[in-house]
Amino acid sequence: DASAHLLLPGLDTSQLPSDVGARAERTALGLRPDEKLIVYTGSTTFANLADVKCLTLAVKLLNKGGQPTRLIRTGHQPSEYQVILAEVGGDFVTDLGFIPKQRLPLLLAAADVLVQPGAADSFNAYRLPSKLPEFLCAGRPTLMPATNIGAIIRAGQEALLLESSTPQEIVRRCQEVFSDPELASRLARGARTFAQVHFDIETNTGGLVRFYDSLRDRPGVFGEHAPANHEVPVL
């Protein structure tokens, strides 16, 4: 439809933290050599509390199943939610709180897997993509709901998709990545390429400008010609 334009998020996709920087971040976090790292950047709200609880429980289950795993959280967490999530995750979760924006790319690059929990439901279908563009841009294996951006992702090549996002499904998907270095490498490359193709801010901005230009001579909501003066009259 020439009268509509899909505007995807825009990021500076030219920069990627070095492997040295990512390793230094893991050292700074105090990870053991055998410990896997899952990173979830973003605050907890009433809208995503259930999803965050599922991710937190999944990390606990991974550890109980014999795979040492740490979940690093960032963002604002209301005190009542901190209590709830601490009861679920226990010692397997580190909450860094609100951190400087410039640290986020290093933190994401240090992860073994990035997880956006959530089922393929209406909330996730129609919400803004939130942190997913940054996850993919980091070039790390990513898990996401099978909707929204997940609807245009090549499953198994650019990300792994979650249908129900139960703790058990998240565990299973993480174990796939942890146990298969070839899959992890393929997903990391695919995620980075997807971000470069779909989220480059210069490309997306240019596409929006061209769309606006294409509408100049079209009849609009004002009829055949737009009014000469767009100012709102003072009553």
Side-chain angles (χ1 to χ4, degrees), residues 38-45 48 52 71-82 85 93-101 103-104 107-108 130-131 134-135:
I38 298 175
V39 174
Y40 182 84
T41 54
S43 301
T44 305
T45 70
N48 69 353
V52 176
L71 172 62
I72 297 292
R73 294 288 322 278
T74 71
H76 293 297
Q77 322 301 332
S79 57
E80 61 270 29
Y81 295 166
Q82 288 180 354
L85 295 174
V93 180
T94 299
D95 189 346
L96 299 180
F98 192 83
I99 66 174
K101 177 72 173 178
R103 186 182 174 187
L104 287 179
L107 191 60
L108 295 176
S130 189
K131 61 193 71 61
E134 291 179 327
F135 279 10

PDB file of all heavy atoms in Angstrom, residues 38-45 48 52 71-82 85 93-101 103-104 107-108 130-131 134-135:
ATOM      1  N   ILE A  38      22.886 -14.670  30.762  1.00  0.00           N
ATOM      2  CA  ILE A  38      21.704 -14.153  30.084  1.00  0.00           C
ATOM      3  C   ILE A  38      21.517 -12.712  30.544  1.00  0.00           C
ATOM      4  O   ILE A  38      21.612 -12.421  31.732  1.00  0.00           O
ATOM      5  CB  ILE A  38      20.449 -14.976  30.428  1.00  0.00           C
ATOM      6  CG1 ILE A  38      20.610 -16.423  29.957  1.00  0.00           C
ATOM      7  CG2 ILE A  38      19.200 -14.352  29.803  1.00  0.00           C
ATOM      8  CD1 ILE A  38      19.467 -17.337  30.369  1.00  0.00           C
ATOM      9  N   VAL A  39      21.282 -11.815  29.604  1.00  0.00           N
ATOM     10  CA  VAL A  39      21.117 -10.398  29.938  1.00  0.00           C
ATOM     11  C   VAL A  39      19.714  -9.956  29.543  1.00  0.00           C
ATOM     12  O   VAL A  39      19.239 -10.251  28.441  1.00  0.00           O
ATOM     13  CB  VAL A  39      22.173  -9.531  29.215  1.00  0.00           C
ATOM     14  CG1 VAL A  39      21.896  -8.043  29.442  1.00  0.00           C
ATOM     15  CG2 VAL A  39      23.575  -9.888  29.703  1.00  0.00           C
ATOM     16  N   TYR A  40      19.061  -9.248  30.457  1.00  0.00           N
ATOM     17  CA  TYR A  40      17.752  -8.660  30.181  1.00  0.00           C
ATOM     18  C   TYR A  40      17.800  -7.204  30.616  1.00  0.00           C
ATOM     19  O   TYR A  40      17.854  -6.897  31.810  1.00  0.00           O
ATOM     20  CB  TYR A  40      16.641  -9.403  30.934  1.00  0.00           C
ATOM     21  CG  TYR A  40      15.254  -8.865  30.645  1.00  0.00           C
ATOM     22  CD1 TYR A  40      14.547  -9.298  29.532  1.00  0.00           C
ATOM     23  CD2 TYR A  40      14.662  -7.929  31.479  1.00  0.00           C
ATOM     24  CE1 TYR A  40      13.273  -8.809  29.261  1.00  0.00           C
ATOM     25  CE2 TYR A  40      13.395  -7.433  31.218  1.00  0.00           C
ATOM     26  CZ  TYR A  40      12.711  -7.876  30.111  1.00  0.00           C
ATOM     27  OH  TYR A  40      11.462  -7.384  29.844  1.00  0.00           O
ATOM     28  N   THR A  41      17.804  -6.316  29.654  1.00  0.00           N
ATOM     29  CA  THR A  41      17.881  -4.884  29.933  1.00  0.00           C
ATOM     30  C   THR A  41      16.483  -4.294  29.837  1.00  0.00           C
ATOM     31  O   THR A  41      15.805  -4.452  28.828  1.00  0.00           O
ATOM     32  CB  THR A  41      18.805  -4.184  28.927  1.00  0.00           C
ATOM     33  OG1 THR A  41      18.370  -4.486  27.594  1.00  0.00           O
ATOM     34  CG2 THR A  41      20.241  -4.656  29.089  1.00  0.00           C
ATOM     35  N   GLY A  42      16.059  -3.621  30.873  1.00  0.00           N
ATOM     36  CA  GLY A  42      14.734  -3.020  30.838  1.00  0.00           C
ATOM     37  C   GLY A  42      14.033  -3.119  32.172  1.00  0.00           C
ATOM     38  O   GLY A  42      14.253  -4.065  32.947  1.00  0.00           O
ATOM     39  N   SER A  43      13.214  -2.147  32.436  1.00  0.00           N
ATOM     40  CA  SER A  43      12.506  -2.080  33.710  1.00  0.00           C
ATOM     41  C   SER A  43      11.376  -3.099  33.785  1.00  0.00           C
ATOM     42  O   SER A  43      10.912  -3.612  32.763  1.00  0.00           O
ATOM     43  CB  SER A  43      11.946  -0.671  33.916  1.00  0.00           C
ATOM     44  OG  SER A  43      12.984   0.296  33.904  1.00  0.00           O
ATOM     45  N   THR A  44      10.937  -3.373  35.003  1.00  0.00           N
ATOM     46  CA  THR A  44       9.796  -4.258  35.230  1.00  0.00           C
ATOM     47  C   THR A  44       8.571  -3.415  35.539  1.00  0.00           C
ATOM     48  O   THR A  44       8.625  -2.518  36.378  1.00  0.00           O
ATOM     49  CB  THR A  44      10.074  -5.209  36.401  1.00  0.00           C
ATOM     50  OG1 THR A  44      11.280  -5.925  36.163  1.00  0.00           O
ATOM     51  CG2 THR A  44       8.938  -6.213  36.552  1.00  0.00           C
ATOM     52  N   THR A  45       7.484  -3.688  34.837  1.00  0.00           N
ATOM     53  CA  THR A  45       6.227  -2.981  35.040  1.00  0.00           C
ATOM     54  C   THR A  45       5.106  -3.998  35.222  1.00  0.00           C
ATOM     55  O   THR A  45       5.316  -5.211  35.077  1.00  0.00           O
ATOM     56  CB  THR A  45       5.898  -2.073  33.845  1.00  0.00           C
ATOM     57  OG1 THR A  45       5.562  -2.905  32.709  1.00  0.00           O
ATOM     58  CG2 THR A  45       7.084  -1.186  33.473  1.00  0.00           C
ATOM     59  N   ASN A  48       4.759  -6.355  32.112  1.00  0.00           N
ATOM     60  CA  ASN A  48       5.685  -7.431  31.765  1.00  0.00           C
ATOM     61  C   ASN A  48       6.144  -8.253  32.959  1.00  0.00           C
ATOM     62  O   ASN A  48       7.034  -9.092  32.830  1.00  0.00           O
ATOM     63  CB  ASN A  48       6.909  -6.873  31.019  1.00  0.00           C
ATOM     64  CG  ASN A  48       7.818  -6.027  31.904  1.00  0.00           C
ATOM     65  OD1 ASN A  48       7.499  -5.725  33.052  1.00  0.00           O
ATOM     66  ND2 ASN A  48       8.953  -5.622  31.355  1.00  0.00           N
ATOM     67  N   VAL A  52       8.742 -11.474  32.937  1.00  0.00           N
ATOM     68  CA  VAL A  52      10.030 -11.418  33.624  1.00  0.00           C
ATOM     69  C   VAL A  52      10.129 -12.529  34.665  1.00  0.00           C
ATOM     70  O   VAL A  52      11.194 -13.123  34.862  1.00  0.00           O
ATOM     71  CB  VAL A  52      10.245 -10.031  34.266  1.00  0.00           C
ATOM     72  CG1 VAL A  52      11.551 -10.003  35.071  1.00  0.00           C
ATOM     73  CG2 VAL A  52      10.284  -8.944  33.186  1.00  0.00           C
ATOM     74  N   LEU A  71      21.544 -14.500  35.444  1.00  0.00           N
ATOM     75  CA  LEU A  71      20.728 -13.488  34.775  1.00  0.00           C
ATOM     76  C   LEU A  71      21.145 -12.115  35.286  1.00  0.00           C
ATOM     77  O   LEU A  71      21.112 -11.856  36.483  1.00  0.00           O
ATOM     78  CB  LEU A  71      19.238 -13.724  35.071  1.00  0.00           C
ATOM     79  CG  LEU A  71      18.266 -12.632  34.581  1.00  0.00           C
ATOM     80  CD1 LEU A  71      18.315 -12.492  33.071  1.00  0.00           C
ATOM     81  CD2 LEU A  71      16.848 -12.926  35.059  1.00  0.00           C
ATOM     82  N   ILE A  72      21.552 -11.251  34.380  1.00  0.00           N
ATOM     83  CA  ILE A  72      21.874  -9.867  34.715  1.00  0.00           C
ATOM     84  C   ILE A  72      20.705  -8.998  34.299  1.00  0.00           C
ATOM     85  O   ILE A  72      20.258  -9.035  33.148  1.00  0.00           O
ATOM     86  CB  ILE A  72      23.154  -9.391  34.000  1.00  0.00           C
ATOM     87  CG1 ILE A  72      24.359 -10.222  34.461  1.00  0.00           C
ATOM     88  CG2 ILE A  72      23.387  -7.905  34.248  1.00  0.00           C
ATOM     89  CD1 ILE A  72      24.757  -9.994  35.897  1.00  0.00           C
ATOM     90  N   ARG A  73      20.178  -8.231  35.247  1.00  0.00           N
ATOM     91  CA  ARG A  73      19.060  -7.329  35.012  1.00  0.00           C
ATOM     92  C   ARG A  73      19.529  -5.884  35.103  1.00  0.00           C
ATOM     93  O   ARG A  73      20.430  -5.552  35.861  1.00  0.00           O
ATOM     94  CB  ARG A  73      17.972  -7.542  36.081  1.00  0.00           C
ATOM     95  CG  ARG A  73      17.284  -8.895  36.051  1.00  0.00           C
ATOM     96  CD  ARG A  73      16.363  -9.017  34.853  1.00  0.00           C
ATOM     97  NE  ARG A  73      15.672  -7.769  34.580  1.00  0.00           N
ATOM     98  CZ  ARG A  73      14.561  -7.364  35.220  1.00  0.00           C
ATOM     99  NH1 ARG A  73      14.032  -8.117  36.164  1.00  0.00           N
ATOM    100  NH2 ARG A  73      13.994  -6.223  34.908  1.00  0.00           N
ATOM    101  N   THR A  74      18.895  -5.025  34.315  1.00  0.00           N
ATOM    102  CA  THR A  74      19.102  -3.586  34.453  1.00  0.00           C
ATOM    103  C   THR A  74      17.737  -2.899  34.404  1.00  0.00           C
ATOM    104  O   THR A  74      16.740  -3.502  34.024  1.00  0.00           O
ATOM    105  CB  THR A  74      19.989  -3.002  33.330  1.00  0.00           C
ATOM    106  OG1 THR A  74      19.263  -3.006  32.086  1.00  0.00           O
ATOM    107  CG2 THR A  74      21.274  -3.789  33.168  1.00  0.00           C
ATOM    108  N   GLY A  75      17.728  -1.625  34.762  1.00  0.00           N
ATOM    109  CA  GLY A  75      16.495  -0.852  34.701  1.00  0.00           C
ATOM    110  C   GLY A  75      15.884  -0.639  36.070  1.00  0.00           C
ATOM    111  O   GLY A  75      16.411  -1.072  37.100  1.00  0.00           O
ATOM    112  N   HIS A  76      14.757   0.063  36.070  1.00  0.00           N
ATOM    113  CA  HIS A  76      14.045   0.360  37.315  1.00  0.00           C
ATOM    114  C   HIS A  76      13.158  -0.821  37.699  1.00  0.00           C
ATOM    115  O   HIS A  76      12.420  -1.341  36.866  1.00  0.00           O
ATOM    116  CB  HIS A  76      13.187   1.615  37.148  1.00  0.00           C
ATOM    117  CG  HIS A  76      13.979   2.876  36.955  1.00  0.00           C
ATOM    118  ND1 HIS A  76      14.833   3.370  37.920  1.00  0.00           N
ATOM    119  CD2 HIS A  76      14.046   3.739  35.907  1.00  0.00           C
ATOM    120  CE1 HIS A  76      15.389   4.494  37.485  1.00  0.00           C
ATOM    121  NE2 HIS A  76      14.934   4.734  36.269  1.00  0.00           N
ATOM    122  N   GLN A  77      13.233  -1.208  38.964  1.00  0.00           N
ATOM    123  CA  GLN A  77      12.377  -2.268  39.480  1.00  0.00           C
ATOM    124  C   GLN A  77      11.644  -1.743  40.725  1.00  0.00           C
ATOM    125  O   GLN A  77      12.291  -1.475  41.741  1.00  0.00           O
ATOM    126  CB  GLN A  77      13.201  -3.503  39.885  1.00  0.00           C
ATOM    127  CG  GLN A  77      14.377  -3.861  38.991  1.00  0.00           C
ATOM    128  CD  GLN A  77      13.993  -4.144  37.557  1.00  0.00           C
ATOM    129  OE1 GLN A  77      12.870  -4.572  37.287  1.00  0.00           O
ATOM    130  NE2 GLN A  77      14.906  -3.901  36.632  1.00  0.00           N
ATOM    131  N   PRO A  78      10.337  -1.571  40.663  1.00  0.00           N
ATOM    132  CA  PRO A  78       9.608  -1.170  41.872  1.00  0.00           C
ATOM    133  C   PRO A  78       9.906  -2.123  43.018  1.00  0.00           C
ATOM    134  O   PRO A  78      10.104  -3.329  42.804  1.00  0.00           O
ATOM    135  CB  PRO A  78       8.139  -1.257  41.437  1.00  0.00           C
ATOM    136  CG  PRO A  78       8.179  -1.091  39.942  1.00  0.00           C
ATOM    137  CD  PRO A  78       9.448  -1.745  39.504  1.00  0.00           C
ATOM    138  N   SER A  79       9.953  -1.603  44.227  1.00  0.00           N
ATOM    139  CA  SER A  79      10.366  -2.407  45.380  1.00  0.00           C
ATOM    140  C   SER A  79       9.524  -3.666  45.540  1.00  0.00           C
ATOM    141  O   SER A  79      10.040  -4.738  45.891  1.00  0.00           O
ATOM    142  CB  SER A  79      10.308  -1.556  46.657  1.00  0.00           C
ATOM    143  OG  SER A  79       9.001  -1.030  46.851  1.00  0.00           O
ATOM    144  N   GLU A  80       8.221  -3.563  45.285  1.00  0.00           N
ATOM    145  CA  GLU A  80       7.368  -4.735  45.457  1.00  0.00           C
ATOM    146  C   GLU A  80       7.697  -5.823  44.436  1.00  0.00           C
ATOM    147  O   GLU A  80       7.587  -7.022  44.715  1.00  0.00           O
ATOM    148  CB  GLU A  80       5.878  -4.375  45.377  1.00  0.00           C
ATOM    149  CG  GLU A  80       5.429  -3.775  44.050  1.00  0.00           C
ATOM    150  CD  GLU A  80       5.528  -2.249  44.017  1.00  0.00           C
ATOM    151  OE1 GLU A  80       6.407  -1.709  44.720  1.00  0.00           O
ATOM    152  OE2 GLU A  80       4.727  -1.640  43.296  1.00  0.00           O
ATOM    153  N   TYR A  81       8.138  -5.405  43.226  1.00  0.00           N
ATOM    154  CA  TYR A  81       8.532  -6.378  42.212  1.00  0.00           C
ATOM    155  C   TYR A  81       9.902  -6.967  42.530  1.00  0.00           C
ATOM    156  O   TYR A  81      10.167  -8.137  42.225  1.00  0.00           O
ATOM    157  CB  TYR A  81       8.544  -5.734  40.825  1.00  0.00           C
ATOM    158  CG  TYR A  81       7.189  -5.275  40.337  1.00  0.00           C
ATOM    159  CD1 TYR A  81       7.075  -4.412  39.244  1.00  0.00           C
ATOM    160  CD2 TYR A  81       6.015  -5.702  40.953  1.00  0.00           C
ATOM    161  CE1 TYR A  81       5.832  -3.982  38.796  1.00  0.00           C
ATOM    162  CE2 TYR A  81       4.777  -5.275  40.512  1.00  0.00           C
ATOM    163  CZ  TYR A  81       4.691  -4.414  39.422  1.00  0.00           C
ATOM    164  OH  TYR A  81       3.456  -3.993  38.974  1.00  0.00           O
ATOM    165  N   GLN A  82      10.779  -6.170  43.110  1.00  0.00           N
ATOM    166  CA  GLN A  82      12.082  -6.688  43.517  1.00  0.00           C
ATOM    167  C   GLN A  82      11.920  -7.857  44.472  1.00  0.00           C
ATOM    168  O   GLN A  82      12.620  -8.866  44.362  1.00  0.00           O
ATOM    169  CB  GLN A  82      12.905  -5.573  44.171  1.00  0.00           C
ATOM    170  CG  GLN A  82      13.415  -4.519  43.213  1.00  0.00           C
ATOM    171  CD  GLN A  82      14.228  -3.446  43.933  1.00  0.00           C
ATOM    172  OE1 GLN A  82      14.327  -3.432  45.153  1.00  0.00           O
ATOM    173  NE2 GLN A  82      14.814  -2.547  43.158  1.00  0.00           N
ATOM    174  N   LEU A  85      10.580 -10.987  42.492  1.00  0.00           N
ATOM    175  CA  LEU A  85      11.573 -11.595  41.608  1.00  0.00           C
ATOM    176  C   LEU A  85      12.732 -12.194  42.392  1.00  0.00           C
ATOM    177  O   LEU A  85      13.313 -13.203  41.977  1.00  0.00           O
ATOM    178  CB  LEU A  85      12.077 -10.561  40.606  1.00  0.00           C
ATOM    179  CG  LEU A  85      11.013 -10.049  39.623  1.00  0.00           C
ATOM    180  CD1 LEU A  85      11.566  -8.922  38.760  1.00  0.00           C
ATOM    181  CD2 LEU A  85      10.500 -11.180  38.741  1.00  0.00           C
ATOM    182  N   VAL A  93      20.410 -14.313  40.158  1.00  0.00           N
ATOM    183  CA  VAL A  93      20.088 -13.059  39.468  1.00  0.00           C
ATOM    184  C   VAL A  93      20.889 -11.909  40.085  1.00  0.00           C
ATOM    185  O   VAL A  93      20.970 -11.789  41.303  1.00  0.00           O
ATOM    186  CB  VAL A  93      18.581 -12.730  39.557  1.00  0.00           C
ATOM    187  CG1 VAL A  93      18.274 -11.420  38.832  1.00  0.00           C
ATOM    188  CG2 VAL A  93      17.753 -13.876  38.994  1.00  0.00           C
ATOM    189  N   THR A  94      21.477 -11.090  39.211  1.00  0.00           N
ATOM    190  CA  THR A  94      22.156  -9.871  39.644  1.00  0.00           C
ATOM    191  C   THR A  94      21.433  -8.685  39.043  1.00  0.00           C
ATOM    192  O   THR A  94      21.298  -8.592  37.820  1.00  0.00           O
ATOM    193  CB  THR A  94      23.629  -9.844  39.193  1.00  0.00           C
ATOM    194  OG1 THR A  94      24.312 -10.952  39.774  1.00  0.00           O
ATOM    195  CG2 THR A  94      24.312  -8.551  39.634  1.00  0.00           C
ATOM    196  N   ASP A  95      20.942  -7.797  39.896  1.00  0.00           N
ATOM    197  CA  ASP A  95      20.212  -6.611  39.449  1.00  0.00           C
ATOM    198  C   ASP A  95      21.157  -5.413  39.525  1.00  0.00           C
ATOM    199  O   ASP A  95      21.527  -4.970  40.610  1.00  0.00           O
ATOM    200  CB  ASP A  95      18.986  -6.395  40.327  1.00  0.00           C
ATOM    201  CG  ASP A  95      18.064  -5.308  39.796  1.00  0.00           C
ATOM    202  OD1 ASP A  95      18.500  -4.548  38.908  1.00  0.00           O
ATOM    203  OD2 ASP A  95      16.923  -5.220  40.269  1.00  0.00           O
ATOM    204  N   LEU A  96      21.549  -4.894  38.370  1.00  0.00           N
ATOM    205  CA  LEU A  96      22.464  -3.759  38.320  1.00  0.00           C
ATOM    206  C   LEU A  96      21.743  -2.427  38.470  1.00  0.00           C
ATOM    207  O   LEU A  96      22.393  -1.383  38.592  1.00  0.00           O
ATOM    208  CB  LEU A  96      23.249  -3.765  37.001  1.00  0.00           C
ATOM    209  CG  LEU A  96      24.138  -4.978  36.739  1.00  0.00           C
ATOM    210  CD1 LEU A  96      24.851  -4.814  35.394  1.00  0.00           C
ATOM    211  CD2 LEU A  96      25.135  -5.188  37.855  1.00  0.00           C
ATOM    212  N   GLY A  97      20.409  -2.448  38.418  1.00  0.00           N
ATOM    213  CA  GLY A  97      19.672  -1.198  38.496  1.00  0.00           C
ATOM    214  C   GLY A  97      19.818  -0.378  37.222  1.00  0.00           C
ATOM    215  O   GLY A  97      20.135  -0.900  36.150  1.00  0.00           O
ATOM    216  N   PHE A  98      19.587   0.905  37.357  1.00  0.00           N
ATOM    217  CA  PHE A  98      19.672   1.803  36.189  1.00  0.00           C
ATOM    218  C   PHE A  98      21.136   2.129  35.934  1.00  0.00           C
ATOM    219  O   PHE A  98      21.818   2.679  36.793  1.00  0.00           O
ATOM    220  CB  PHE A  98      18.879   3.074  36.456  1.00  0.00           C
ATOM    221  CG  PHE A  98      18.679   3.919  35.229  1.00  0.00           C
ATOM    222  CD1 PHE A  98      17.652   3.643  34.348  1.00  0.00           C
ATOM    223  CD2 PHE A  98      19.526   4.985  34.955  1.00  0.00           C
ATOM    224  CE1 PHE A  98      17.455   4.418  33.215  1.00  0.00           C
ATOM    225  CE2 PHE A  98      19.340   5.758  33.828  1.00  0.00           C
ATOM    226  CZ  PHE A  98      18.300   5.478  32.949  1.00  0.00           C
ATOM    227  N   ILE A  99      21.643   1.775  34.753  1.00  0.00           N
ATOM    228  CA  ILE A  99      23.055   1.972  34.438  1.00  0.00           C
ATOM    229  C   ILE A  99      23.203   2.949  33.270  1.00  0.00           C
ATOM    230  O   ILE A  99      22.253   3.172  32.514  1.00  0.00           O
ATOM    231  CB  ILE A  99      23.747   0.639  34.092  1.00  0.00           C
ATOM    232  CG1 ILE A  99      23.182   0.059  32.789  1.00  0.00           C
ATOM    233  CG2 ILE A  99      23.598  -0.360  35.240  1.00  0.00           C
ATOM    234  CD1 ILE A  99      23.925  -1.175  32.305  1.00  0.00           C
ATOM    235  N   PRO A 100      24.390   3.552  33.094  1.00  0.00           N
ATOM    236  CA  PRO A 100      24.597   4.485  31.975  1.00  0.00           C
ATOM    237  C   PRO A 100      24.360   3.802  30.633  1.00  0.00           C
ATOM    238  O   PRO A 100      24.724   2.635  30.438  1.00  0.00           O
ATOM    239  CB  PRO A 100      26.065   4.903  32.136  1.00  0.00           C
ATOM    240  CG  PRO A 100      26.381   4.670  33.571  1.00  0.00           C
ATOM    241  CD  PRO A 100      25.574   3.464  33.972  1.00  0.00           C
ATOM    242  N   LYS A 101      23.755   4.538  29.714  1.00  0.00           N
ATOM    243  CA  LYS A 101      23.418   4.004  28.397  1.00  0.00           C
ATOM    244  C   LYS A 101      24.650   3.457  27.682  1.00  0.00           C
ATOM    245  O   LYS A 101      24.575   2.437  26.985  1.00  0.00           O
ATOM    246  CB  LYS A 101      22.773   5.115  27.555  1.00  0.00           C
ATOM    247  CG  LYS A 101      22.426   4.730  26.128  1.00  0.00           C
ATOM    248  CD  LYS A 101      21.245   3.795  26.064  1.00  0.00           C
ATOM    249  CE  LYS A 101      20.794   3.561  24.634  1.00  0.00           C
ATOM    250  NZ  LYS A 101      19.667   2.617  24.538  1.00  0.00           N
ATOM    251  N   ARG A 103      27.060   1.825  28.707  1.00  0.00           N
ATOM    252  CA  ARG A 103      27.503   0.493  29.133  1.00  0.00           C
ATOM    253  C   ARG A 103      26.666  -0.616  28.515  1.00  0.00           C
ATOM    254  O   ARG A 103      27.117  -1.773  28.441  1.00  0.00           O
ATOM    255  CB  ARG A 103      27.468   0.393  30.672  1.00  0.00           C
ATOM    256  CG  ARG A 103      28.066  -0.911  31.189  1.00  0.00           C
ATOM    257  CD  ARG A 103      27.995  -1.036  32.701  1.00  0.00           C
ATOM    258  NE  ARG A 103      28.439  -2.341  33.149  1.00  0.00           N
ATOM    259  CZ  ARG A 103      28.360  -2.783  34.399  1.00  0.00           C
ATOM    260  NH1 ARG A 103      27.857  -2.002  35.355  1.00  0.00           N
ATOM    261  NH2 ARG A 103      28.777  -3.998  34.718  1.00  0.00           N
ATOM    262  N   LEU A 104      25.466  -0.313  28.088  1.00  0.00           N
ATOM    263  CA  LEU A 104      24.559  -1.353  27.614  1.00  0.00           C
ATOM    264  C   LEU A 104      25.122  -2.182  26.456  1.00  0.00           C
ATOM    265  O   LEU A 104      25.000  -3.411  26.475  1.00  0.00           O
ATOM    266  CB  LEU A 104      23.216  -0.737  27.213  1.00  0.00           C
ATOM    267  CG  LEU A 104      22.321  -0.279  28.366  1.00  0.00           C
ATOM    268  CD1 LEU A 104      21.038   0.344  27.824  1.00  0.00           C
ATOM    269  CD2 LEU A 104      21.990  -1.432  29.301  1.00  0.00           C
ATOM    270  N   LEU A 107      27.466  -4.747  27.833  1.00  0.00           N
ATOM    271  CA  LEU A 107      26.751  -5.748  28.620  1.00  0.00           C
ATOM    272  C   LEU A 107      26.051  -6.750  27.705  1.00  0.00           C
ATOM    273  O   LEU A 107      26.110  -7.966  27.927  1.00  0.00           O
ATOM    274  CB  LEU A 107      25.742  -5.048  29.527  1.00  0.00           C
ATOM    275  CG  LEU A 107      25.082  -5.887  30.622  1.00  0.00           C
ATOM    276  CD1 LEU A 107      26.124  -6.453  31.565  1.00  0.00           C
ATOM    277  CD2 LEU A 107      24.063  -5.047  31.386  1.00  0.00           C
ATOM    278  N   LEU A 108      25.421  -6.253  26.660  1.00  0.00           N
ATOM    279  CA  LEU A 108      24.739  -7.139  25.715  1.00  0.00           C
ATOM    280  C   LEU A 108      25.735  -8.023  24.979  1.00  0.00           C
ATOM    281  O   LEU A 108      25.491  -9.216  24.763  1.00  0.00           O
ATOM    282  CB  LEU A 108      23.929  -6.315  24.709  1.00  0.00           C
ATOM    283  CG  LEU A 108      22.762  -5.504  25.275  1.00  0.00           C
ATOM    284  CD1 LEU A 108      22.114  -4.661  24.181  1.00  0.00           C
ATOM    285  CD2 LEU A 108      21.726  -6.409  25.930  1.00  0.00           C
ATOM    286  N   SER A 130      10.616  -2.561  21.696  1.00  0.00           N
ATOM    287  CA  SER A 130      11.337  -2.421  22.946  1.00  0.00           C
ATOM    288  C   SER A 130      12.821  -2.667  22.749  1.00  0.00           C
ATOM    289  O   SER A 130      13.459  -2.052  21.910  1.00  0.00           O
ATOM    290  CB  SER A 130      10.724  -3.356  23.998  1.00  0.00           C
ATOM    291  OG  SER A 130      11.238  -3.113  25.280  1.00  0.00           O
ATOM    292  N   LYS A 131      13.398  -3.585  23.517  1.00  0.00           N
ATOM    293  CA  LYS A 131      14.848  -3.799  23.519  1.00  0.00           C
ATOM    294  C   LYS A 131      15.326  -4.734  22.413  1.00  0.00           C
ATOM    295  O   LYS A 131      16.538  -4.879  22.209  1.00  0.00           O
ATOM    296  CB  LYS A 131      15.267  -4.356  24.880  1.00  0.00           C
ATOM    297  CG  LYS A 131      14.626  -5.689  25.210  1.00  0.00           C
ATOM    298  CD  LYS A 131      14.772  -6.091  26.649  1.00  0.00           C
ATOM    299  CE  LYS A 131      13.953  -5.260  27.569  1.00  0.00           C
ATOM    300  NZ  LYS A 131      12.485  -5.312  27.337  1.00  0.00           N
ATOM    301  N   GLU A 134      18.115  -3.632  19.879  1.00  0.00           N
ATOM    302  CA  GLU A 134      19.441  -3.566  20.487  1.00  0.00           C
ATOM    303  C   GLU A 134      19.997  -4.967  20.737  1.00  0.00           C
ATOM    304  O   GLU A 134      21.206  -5.196  20.611  1.00  0.00           O
ATOM    305  CB  GLU A 134      19.389  -2.767  21.781  1.00  0.00           C
ATOM    306  CG  GLU A 134      19.117  -1.279  21.556  1.00  0.00           C
ATOM    307  CD  GLU A 134      19.034  -0.507  22.862  1.00  0.00           C
ATOM    308  OE1 GLU A 134      18.561  -1.089  23.870  1.00  0.00           O
ATOM    309  OE2 GLU A 134      19.432   0.666  22.878  1.00  0.00           O
ATOM    310  N   PHE A 135      19.144  -5.910  21.112  1.00  0.00           N
ATOM    311  CA  PHE A 135      19.583  -7.295  21.285  1.00  0.00           C
ATOM    312  C   PHE A 135      20.182  -7.814  19.977  1.00  0.00           C
ATOM    313  O   PHE A 135      21.275  -8.386  19.960  1.00  0.00           O
ATOM    314  CB  PHE A 135      18.399  -8.189  21.676  1.00  0.00           C
ATOM    315  CG  PHE A 135      18.029  -8.144  23.132  1.00  0.00           C
ATOM    316  CD1 PHE A 135      18.569  -7.205  23.996  1.00  0.00           C
ATOM    317  CD2 PHE A 135      17.107  -9.047  23.646  1.00  0.00           C
ATOM    318  CE1 PHE A 135      18.217  -7.170  25.344  1.00  0.00           C
ATOM    319  CE2 PHE A 135      16.749  -9.031  24.984  1.00  0.00           C
ATOM    320  CZ  PHE A 135      17.309  -8.087  25.836  1.00  0.00           C
TER     321      PHE A 135
END
